[in-house]
Amino acid sequence: KHPITQLECAAVGQSTLMSLFESMFKLYGMQCGQVLITTAGLLDESPRKSTCSTVDSLVRKGIVPIINENDTLVPLSHKGDGSVAIPIEDNDAIASLLARELECDALLLLSNVDGVYTGDPRDASSEIVTEISPETEVDFVGSSTAGRGGMGL
């Protein structure tokens, strides 16, 4: 018997997670759709605009986009065209970048971390931020116990 790889776990986990989301949204008469994204696809303007167009189209049709990094693919080392100034290392960063590009009024991040912190959540001096404005500078630091990265100020 062969041990299951991280990529295989992601394949199983993505469908399980979407099944849960579909069931929960259905309780409220809502539909959701998964948008699987590669970080390399966001680092260049053309594919990023295409992704934004898809997300915008879903929202206009009343479908809640569930944005998730396609963890079943081996990440490519790609620097992009320079149009993205932040590191894209996890789902929080992907969603934040797309929310900015789409000029969203709100962004909901689901996490096992209590909120956005002033630094690494594991650092006792870090505090939870209660409000973020468009002018707030956010750095992507640390990670949750279940993820690869996170946000801090």
Side-chain angles (χ1 to χ4, degrees):
K1 195 170 185 178
H2 301 286
I4 190 164
T5 68
Q6 186 174 2
L7 299 178
E8 293 163 341
C9 284
V12 172
Q14 285 176 352
S15 61
T16 302
L17 183 63
M18 279 310 298
S19 178
L20 175 63
F21 279 135
E22 287 170 357
S23 297
M24 299 309 287
F25 277 100
K26 190 174 185 176
L27 289 173
Y28 295 94
M30 300 172 73
Q31 186 176 8
C32 65
Q34 185 176 39
V35 181
L36 287 175
I37 296 174
T38 62
T39 55
L42 293 176
L43 294 174
D44 293 308
E45 187 175 13
S46 179
R48 188 173 63 251
K49 286 195 179 299
S50 176
T51 299
C52 286
S53 177
T54 299
V55 170
D56 186 56
S57 180
L58 287 170
V59 170
R60 290 182 188 282
K61 292 176 173 132
I63 301 169
V64 177
I66 305 296
I67 297 169
N68 195 7
E69 181 179 10
N70 191 345
D71 296 321
T72 63
L73 302 175
V74 174
L76 299 175
S77 178
H78 180 65
K79 300 235 185 269
D81 61 13
S83 62
V84 175
I86 62 172
I88 305 296
E89 297 177 351
D90 65 9
N91 285 314
D92 291 355
I94 289 169
S96 299
L97 173 65
L98 291 177
R100 186 188 72 201
E101 292 274 327
L102 291 162
E103 299 178 358
C104 294
D105 294 329
L107 170 63
L108 175 65
L109 299 174
L110 302 180
S111 176
N112 67 340
V113 178
D114 292 334
V116 176
Y117 286 78
T118 56
D120 189 326
R122 295 171 291 205
D123 184 340
S125 66
S126 294
E127 298 177 3
I128 291 181
V129 177
T130 57
E131 186 175 322
I132 297 176
S133 71
E135 295 79 29
T136 305
E137 289 192 31
V138 177
D139 293 323
F140 294 85
V141 297
S143 64
S144 70
T145 57
R148 296 184 294 115
M151 294 196 305
L153 301 177

